[in-house]
Structures are given as C-alpha cells and as structure tokens.
Amino acid sequence: YKGGKLSGEIVVPFAYQTKASGIGDEHRHDHLWYERTFSCRLARGKRLLLHFDGADYTAKVWLNGQMLGTHSGGYSRFTFDATHALKAGENVLVVKCDDSYSAAQPRGKQRCVPESVSCFYTDTSGIWKTVWLEEVADVSLERVLTTCEYERQCVLFEYKLRGYCEGLTLEIEAFYQGARAARTETQLFSDHGKIRLDLTLNDHMLNMKPWTIGRTEQHFDLVYRLRRAGETVDEVRSYTALVDYRVRENRIEVNYLPCYYFRMVLAQGYYPQSGLTPKSDEELLNDVLMIKEMGFNGVRMHQKIEDERFYYFCDMVGLFCWLEMPAVYDFSPESASALMREWTEVVLQYKGYLSVMAYVPVNESWGVLQTSENAQMQRLTSGLYSLTKALDPSRLVISNDGWEHTESDIVTLHNYAQSGRELSLAY
C-alpha cells in the first residue's frame, strides 16, 4: 500500500516478501490492503463462512463495506460469518493486515530488525496461508475435538455448534477397514457437549492395535451427521485412532510401552521462493517422506505452526510431532497475554492429530531470558504448562524446550558445543 493507492496484484496466499507472491519486496510495510471480487449464489437456509488459515498479524475484514471482524495472531485459523453482508451478483472482499516489528507479538524466527541476523530471518506479513469459503446450513458443526481413551478403547468427542436450536441430534459412525464398527446418535441440549463412543471390535478375532509410527493404518474413519427433526443438515468426515502418550516414572511411554529411541529432525519449514508457505500439497508430503527416508521417526517444527496438511501427512505415514509455539522476544503483560491467547487457539486447532506427541509453548527461554532468576517468568512458563494440560491432558508438555524448565513432562537439554571437552564441562 503506497501513497494511498493499491500498488498492484499479489498472489495469495504468499507473503509480499516472497517471490512467489509476485512482489518479492523484503522491506518493511506495516499496513497491507487486499481486495478482490467474487460471485456467490447462496441457497435459502445456508450461511457463508470465510476462513483464514493464517494472516500475520492483525487482520480486519470487510465484505461489501460491512466489517466482518478482526483477529490478532499470525499462526492460528480464524473464521467470520459473511452471510449478512453477502449480496446477489458481484461481492467485494477487502482485508487489511497490520504487522510491525513489535517484540510483544509471537514472531518465531521472523526478524524484528531491518536486516536478518543469526537465525532470525525475513519477516512474513499479511496473508500467508489458505483463504477459503464454505457454505453451511444455518445450524452446523463448528468443530469436534477428539480425545483417545486408549485403556478403555473409547474416544471422547467434544462438539461445538453454530446456530443451536431445539430438536437436534448428532450421529457419529466409526468404520474400521470399511466395515461399521460403532455408532451412536445423541439428542443435543446445548451448542456444546461431550459424547463418548466405545471402539471395541467385538466381531474381530483380535482387537484393533493402536496407532504408532510403525503401524499407521489402524484408523477409524468417522462420519458426523447433524440432524434437525430427523433431516441431515450437516455432514462431516474425519478419522481417529487409539494412541496414548504419557510419562511414567523416568520414561516416556507410547501406548504404555517405553519409547527410548527418538530420532527427531528439527524442521525449519522454509520453502524456496515462498518463505514459510508451501506451494502445494506435494511440497509438504515430500518433506514428510524425506524425513522418513532419512531414518528419522519424529519431527519438531521449529518456531512455526505448519499447515494442517503437514500433520495429516504425519498421521498417514507415521511420524511423531512436537508442536511448538513461535516465540515472543520480550517479556511484558502484553507479550504474555498475546502468547497465551494465540497458543490457546493453536492447541484447540491441532489437538486432534494422532502424531502430535508433545507441545512446546516456549523455546530456549526466548522472551523469558531471565527465567532462572525471575519469578514472574517462571510463573509464565508454569502457567503455559498448566494451560496446555487443561486444553489437552492427553499429550506431553515441555515448558521451556532446551533451557531452564519449570513444570515439565520432559526435561530437554540443548547444547551447541563442538567438542567432547565442552560437553564434559557443561554437564
């Protein structure tokens, strides 16, 4: 946005700093404007949702001059209902993204100075993940979070609805190897609730084995059907499997078995020509397959919340994942609030993926550099641990990966020494 005029076209969803966007300007621009038109004929009784998988950092969205909403946070998905602003024929969508070099916003490895330094690289501003429209009924499923209860061979479904009304039921069907394994239909009395489904395979000689990196085909295919007065108004398909991660005594256990062998790669998630944004499904899948072919059995995506398709591919081919929150660079009430708010959105968005073994809310004391001495910083990392456990108690949590730990399921040590003598002195 230059001199009060839009400066040209940009290829979405690539950040203007990348060549793939068609702009390739690495200079700082704090205010970015996007505009495009589209046509949409919405059927009666339907609603139109506008989804942004990622826009950095604060996005304000208008449709035909009416504001749909505002969202702050560069790494989590957000959704606006566009129905009330939609009109017949051509519609004008306008998005303004405000970004800055603020150290109080979660940045990850995006620099907050004019030039790249050390491991802090070109910043990513504006829309950098997929933007898409979805037509749904006036009452629909907003989300379903699944939690495996491995020891009971059950799955807990936590549902959230849009537009609740009386007379609704939710049917859940689970299929194993093409055959229906379980079904339930529950009457709904509010816009959110919990449903438990038994996944015991009574008609099999041997019960289903759990999901793990060497046995990835043990999936249940899921179908959710939301019904109003017996008529299906929304249908969603997904999958799940039985998997359990825990720490017991002095060991990490996967499906109640000790797991001593972690060969994990630290993935940076940068792509040629397109920065943090992959150009295609194939680029994401090739990364996952290459990690497997190199002999690794896990991946920690470093200081980035990767596209959800990456974690889907990890589920399908079998890779353990550590999900890591991009760091803030400063410690203040503003940075602590921004970190906890966006981390909450991220955990709720990604908690259903089987491959997510552990959460990493803080890395190497970035943004909390005085953790060993500062009680407030200690409370923040302890608080992030407790918050994450409250949102998803089924996964492991690492309070501060590599450096000073407070409360943590795993103690991790990072050391960049180049000789045995340095290691010996350190430990």
Side-chain angles (χ1 to χ4, degrees):
Y1 184 65
K2 299 178 180 178
K5 296 182 180 180
L6 295 175
S7 59
E9 292 188 352
I10 184 170
V11 180
V12 172
F14 304 107
Y16 78 83
Q17 293 95 334
T18 68
K19 293 182 179 178
S21 72
I23 297 176
D25 179 2
E26 294 190 6
H27 294 92
R28 174 178 169 180
H29 299 282
D30 289 351
H31 309 292
L32 313 172
W33 289 86
Y34 302 81
E35 179 185 276
R36 67 157 295 169
T37 60
F38 67 93
S39 296
C40 178
R41 293 179 60 85
L42 197 62
R44 180 177 296 179
K46 298 291 186 179
R47 306 198 71 82
L48 188 69
L49 304 180
L50 177 60
H51 302 280
F52 291 79
D53 281 356
D56 202 342
Y57 176 69
T58 296
K60 300 176 182 179
V61 182
W62 295 265
L63 182 61
N64 298 321
Q66 295 189 49
M67 175 169 268
L68 301 184
T70 300
H71 177 267
S72 292
Y75 293 95
S76 55
R77 181 197 296 131
F78 57 97
T79 298
F80 297 129
D81 189 329
T83 310
H84 66 282
L86 194 68
K87 65 180 184 180
E90 189 174 80
N91 291 267
V92 180
L93 177 65
V94 173
V95 179
K96 182 191 181 190
C97 290
D98 297 320
D99 200 7
S100 71
Y101 279 170
S102 170
Q105 68 188 48
R107 308 192 62 84
K109 304 188 88 165
Q110 299 182 54
R111 68 192 183 201
C112 60
V113 292
E115 301 293 333
S116 299
V117 58
S118 182
C119 61
F120 302 101
Y121 312 129
T122 304
D123 40 317
T124 297
S125 298
I127 296 170
W128 69 282
K129 284 186 177 181
T130 302
V131 182
W132 49 290
L133 292 169
E134 180 185 15
E135 183 181 291
V136 300
D138 57 357
V139 56
S140 61
L141 283 167
E142 182 175 330
R143 69 172 181 237
V144 181
L145 303 177
T146 59
T147 303
C148 298
E149 298 179 354
Y150 172 74
E151 70 278 8
R152 300 172 60 185
Q153 288 199 286
C154 294
V155 172
L156 180 66
F157 300 93
E158 299 177 72
Y159 65 86
K160 179 76 168 63
L161 305 182
R162 297 185 186 90
Y164 170 78
C165 62
E166 292 185 356
L168 296 175
T169 62
L170 179 59
E171 179 191 29
I172 303 175
E173 284 189 299
F175 295 85
Y176 180 60
Q177 296 180 351
R180 189 164 73 176
R183 176 192 175 277
T184 186
E185 188 164 4
T186 305
Q187 187 174 357
L188 308 184
F189 294 97
S190 70
D191 65 350
H192 67 282
K194 300 177 182 178
I195 299 172
R196 183 173 280 103
L197 189 63
D198 182 4
L199 295 183
T200 304
L201 295 175
N202 295 311
D203 58 345
H204 281 59
M205 182 69 72
L206 296 174
N207 270 332
M208 177 184 176
K209 296 182 176 68
W211 181 95
T212 188
I213 54 172
R215 197 164 51 223
T216 59
E217 73 283 358
Q218 305 295 319
H219 290 99
F220 286 98
D221 294 308
L222 300 173
V223 181
Y224 306 108
R225 294 188 185 91
L226 183 64
R227 293 195 174 101
R228 179 168 52 193
E231 179 185 353
T232 299
V233 294
D234 195 18
E235 182 173 312
V236 180
R237 295 174 183 266
S238 187
Y239 65 94
T240 192
L242 297 172
V243 63
D244 185 274
Y245 301 108
R246 65 182 60 221
V247 170
R248 187 159 50 177
E249 297 176 350
N250 199 31
R251 62 180 181 263
I252 300 169
E253 292 184 347
V254 178
N255 301 327
Y256 287 82
L257 297 175
C259 195
Y260 299 111
Y261 54 97
F262 289 113
R263 302 182 300 275
M264 302 189 73
V265 65
L266 187 69
Q268 304 301 319
Y270 282 86
Y271 296 88
Q273 309 297 315
S274 57
L276 290 175
T277 310
K279 287 184 176 180
S280 64
D281 288 1
E282 288 73 22
E283 276 196 326
L284 286 166
L285 179 57
N286 287 341
D287 277 2
V288 172
L289 294 176
M290 190 177 298
I291 290 169
K292 288 277 288 186
E293 290 167 2
M294 289 179 175
F296 296 101
N297 58 17
V299 55
R300 176 177 158 218
M301 185 57 65
H302 190 39
Q303 289 297 290
K304 178 190 180 186
I305 305 299
E306 186 55 277
D307 189 294
E308 284 195 64
R309 291 168 291 183
F310 180 87
Y311 298 93
Y312 166 76
F313 291 138
C314 288
D315 284 359
M316 294 299 109
V317 308
L319 276 176
F320 294 133
C321 296
W322 288 10
L323 186 69
E324 178 177 336
M325 182 62 195
V328 296
Y329 293 169
D330 192 17
F331 182 76
S332 66
E334 291 75 20
S335 65
S337 175
L339 183 61
M340 298 191 85
R341 183 184 65 250
E342 191 169 351
W343 181 236
T344 296
E345 294 179 355
V346 167
V347 172
L348 293 178
Q349 183 178 340
Y350 286 82
K351 66 175 288 187
Y353 288 97
L354 309 170
S355 53
V356 174
M357 162 190 279
Y359 296 109
V360 181
V362 179
N363 170 68
E364 293 186 346
S365 295
W366 290 7
V368 285
L369 290 175
Q370 288 76 43
T371 294
S372 60
E373 303 87 19
N374 188 306
Q376 280 183 278
M377 294 181 183
Q378 294 166 17
R379 292 189 185 103
L380 176 59
T381 59
S382 293
L384 285 164
Y385 172 90
S386 296
L387 171 65
T388 310
K389 283 292 191 181
L391 297 172
D392 187 0
S394 68
R395 297 298 194 263
L396 308 177
V397 181
I398 303 163
S399 63
N400 183 10
D401 201 76
W403 284 180
E404 305 95 342
H405 293 275
T406 48
E407 188 173 3
S408 192
D409 292 328
I410 305 173
V411 174
T412 55
L413 304 173
H414 296 181
N415 193 299
Y416 299 95
Q418 301 299 304
S419 70
R421 185 176 188 281
E422 290 175 282
L423 286 171
S424 179
L425 288 171
Y427 298 113

